[in-house]
């Protein structure tokens, strides 16, 4: 345990990006946190991907560098199996097992052996048999079907897990890790769930986010203490989450805004139980807040709430979980620094008394970027994306730049969304 402290925003090395993204105050982190279910490999193949929000580094994949407050099609990608988003870059896993990346590449996070940004997808080199992808701030991760993990990009804190502090513009193998079934990227640390239910982490550990009872960084995976039968993991700015046996949630690391959910603001270098949550199937984490998807399709949030990222209609932080208003039938969640995404099996908020959810008769499935609109049933199309929180770059996808403390509907052109990812002021769906 430690004393309350403010999260390190690491803005000094991002001055150029901050000037380019003047609509976002203190935007310094956005993990590629995403959750499609407890195993991180749910959902089928969808025909194409869409993106929205900031695009100063080409992270929307449209090739023109222009941001968008509504979804636009990512150029040239079909057969999407998985998506992930970092601070200024994006990743897609395709049906053929190839991984493609676009956007910021200052640290080699696109994995194509180069350091120049790309406004359209480029293939990550040297990867086969990929099961899922994830992204941290300026680094990327791939979980292979053989249970090993590859990483590339920024490595200042050892977040590539290869035993060095050297950046890599090509994938390297995470040292000594096998039997992995899920992986998540935070600011400058990563977390993996193994098939035996244990949790391992590597990289930055200034706030105890590796969960090994220490505060020193590790360039190789170390075991998170006290977890034996986890079902899902997530990595945030400087904190981490796991779904434990029985659907309870454990959290560790930075707790300045209450993101550990245990009713305090005290950091913890070992897992502590989030209060009053059971039956949880998936988790996601932002810079200073956390999300949980319960088995009944409801979503719960705790921690920082300055931009409405808890979704409870307020901007008041909470050290314990509060229910995200107006959502039901949720099948996937994602979080970044200050905004969140959720997928519902249908409209998902009928009768909730919250027109901003999109259940007020406004159409979903609007044609975007030349893509045909899906057929809509009485509750909208087969799956609907909702977003809430920070919207300074249009990352909520509702054609505005106004923050929202309750979920709003995103008019995607994808008939059945199965994958979502939240990045640094941008969002992805496929």
């Amino acid at each position: 345990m430690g004393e309350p402290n403010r999260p390190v925003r690491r803005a000094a090395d991002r001055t150029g990006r901050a000037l380019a993204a003047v609509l976002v105050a203190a935007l310094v982190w956005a993990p590629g946190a995403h959750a499609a279910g407890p195993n991180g490999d749910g959902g089928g193949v969808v025909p194409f991907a869409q993106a929205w929000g900031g695009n100063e580094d080409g992270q929307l994949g449209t090739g023109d560098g222009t941001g968008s407050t509504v979804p636009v099609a990512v150029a040239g990608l079909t057969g999407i199996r998985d998506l992930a988003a970092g601070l200024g870059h994006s990743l897609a896993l395709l049906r053929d097992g190839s991984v493609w990346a676009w956007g910021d590449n200052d640290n080699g996070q696109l994995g194509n052996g180069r350091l120049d940004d790309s406004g359209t997808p480029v293939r990550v080199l040297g990867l086969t048999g990929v099961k899922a992808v994830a992204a941290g701030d300026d680094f990327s991760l791939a979980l292979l079907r053989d249970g090993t993990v590859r990483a590339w990009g920024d490595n200042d804190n050892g977040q590539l897990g290869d035993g060095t502090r050297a950046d890599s513009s090509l994938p390297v193998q995470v040292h000594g890790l096998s039997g992995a079934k899920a992986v998540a990227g935070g600011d400058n640390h990563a977390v993996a769930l193994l098939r035996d239910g244990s949790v391992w982490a590597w990289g930055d550990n200034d706030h105890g986010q590796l969960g090994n009872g220490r505060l020193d960084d590790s360039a190789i995976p170390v075991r998170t203490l006290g977890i034996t039968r986890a079902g899902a993991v997530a990595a945030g700015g400087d904190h981490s989450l796991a779904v434990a046996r029985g659907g309870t949630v454990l959290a560790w690391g930075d707790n300045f805004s209450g993101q550990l959910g245990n009713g305090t603001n005290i950091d913890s270098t070992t897992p502590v139980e989030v209060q009053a949550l059971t039956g949880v199937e998936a988790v996601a984490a932002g810079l200073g807040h956390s999300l949980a998807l319960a088995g009944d399709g409801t979503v719960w949030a705790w921690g920082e709430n300055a931009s409405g990222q808890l979704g409870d209609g307020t901007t008041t932080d909470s050290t314990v979980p509060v229910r995200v208003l107006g959502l039901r039938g949720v099948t996937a969640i994602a979080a970044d620094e200050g905004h969140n995404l959720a997928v519902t099996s249908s409209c998902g908020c009928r009768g909730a008394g919250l027109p901003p959810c999109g259940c007020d008769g406004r159409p979903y499935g609007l044609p975007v970027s030349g893509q045909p609109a899906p057929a809509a049933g009485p509750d909208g199309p087969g799956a609907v994306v909702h977003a809430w929180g920070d919207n300074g770059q249009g990352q909520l996808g509702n054609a505005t730049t106004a923050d929202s403390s309750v979920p709003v509907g995103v008019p995607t052109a994808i008939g059945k969304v199965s994958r979502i990812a939240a990045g640094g002021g941008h969002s992805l769906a496929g």
Side-chain angles (χ1 to χ4, degrees):
M1 295 278 186
E3 293 303 315
N5 54 78
R6 293 189 176 275
V8 178
R9 299 284 174 150
R10 297 179 176 86
D13 61 344
R14 295 179 187 142
T15 303
R17 287 198 194 108
L19 291 173
V22 293
L23 291 176
V24 179
L27 178 61
V28 297
W29 175 83
H34 73 291
N39 295 322
D41 194 36
V45 175
V46 293
F48 59 93
Q50 289 191 291
W52 58 95
N55 197 28
E56 63 274 9
D57 293 307
Q59 58 265 47
L60 299 190
T62 56
D64 60 10
T66 302
S68 179
T69 60
V70 295
V72 292
V74 178
L77 292 183
T78 58
I80 309 296
R81 279 197 178 275
D82 199 13
L83 293 168
L87 177 70
H89 75 290
S90 306
L91 302 172
L93 169 63
L94 304 189
R95 174 176 19 207
D96 64 6
S98 63
V99 177
W100 295 73
W102 58 99
D104 184 24
N105 197 30
D106 289 352
N107 298 97
Q109 57 264 49
L110 301 190
N112 64 337
R114 302 169 60 100
L115 294 175
D116 51 321
D117 298 351
S118 180
T120 56
V122 295
R123 185 165 183 169
V124 178
L125 300 178
L127 289 179
T128 58
V130 177
K131 178 181 179 181
V133 290
D137 186 343
D138 292 320
F139 71 104
S140 306
L141 299 161
L143 170 63
L144 275 55
R145 294 195 176 276
D146 66 5
T148 61
V149 177
R150 303 293 187 272
W152 58 99
D154 186 22
N155 198 28
D156 288 351
N157 297 97
Q159 57 264 51
L160 300 191
D162 66 342
T164 78
R165 297 293 198 283
D167 294 357
S168 180
S169 61
L170 295 170
V172 296
Q173 184 165 347
V174 175
H175 177 80
L177 197 66
S178 61
K181 63 181 291 187
V183 65
D187 184 343
N188 289 310
H189 77 289
V191 179
L193 169 63
L194 271 55
R195 296 187 186 114
D196 65 6
S198 63
V199 175
W200 296 71
W202 59 97
D204 187 19
N205 198 31
D206 288 351
H207 297 276
Q209 57 264 49
L210 303 189
N212 64 336
R214 303 168 62 97
L215 291 172
D216 50 322
D217 297 353
S218 180
I220 59 173
V222 295
R223 185 164 184 168
T224 299
L225 300 177
I227 302 178
T228 57
R229 297 186 64 179
V233 292
D238 289 316
H239 73 290
S240 307
L241 305 170
V243 179
R245 184 179 181 182
T248 59
V249 178
L250 300 175
W252 58 98
D254 186 24
N255 198 28
F256 176 76
S257 299
Q259 57 264 51
L260 300 192
N262 66 338
T264 79
N265 292 101
I266 301 172
D267 294 359
S268 181
T269 62
T270 57
V272 296
E273 186 169 334
V274 176
Q275 289 189 11
L277 280 184
T278 59
V280 171
E281 295 185 347
V283 284
L287 176 67
H289 74 287
S290 306
L291 296 181
L293 169 59
D296 63 2
T298 59
V299 179
W300 299 77
W302 57 98
E304 185 178 2
N305 198 28
S307 300
Q309 55 264 53
L310 301 191
D312 65 343
T314 79
T315 54
T316 304
D317 295 355
S318 179
T319 61
V320 296
V322 296
R323 184 170 175 175
V324 176
L325 296 178
L327 291 181
R328 60 177 173 84
V330 176
T331 58
I333 54 175
D336 89 322
E337 185 200 43
H339 83 285
N340 310 289
L341 304 173
V343 177
T344 58
S345 55
S346 61
C347 180
C349 56
R350 174 164 289 176
L354 290 171
C357 279
C359 295
D360 56 349
R362 291 179 287 125
Y364 282 100
L366 301 177
V368 179
S369 257
Q371 299 289 349
D379 274 337
V384 175
V385 179
H386 305 267
W388 64 99
D390 183 25
N391 197 29
Q393 295 193 77
Q395 58 265 48
L396 301 190
N398 65 335
T400 78
T401 54
D403 297 351
S404 180
S405 62
V406 295
V408 297
V410 182
T412 70
I414 302 166
K416 185 171 176 58
V417 174
S418 64
R419 290 292 184 179
I420 49 175
H426 74 291
S427 304
L428 302 172

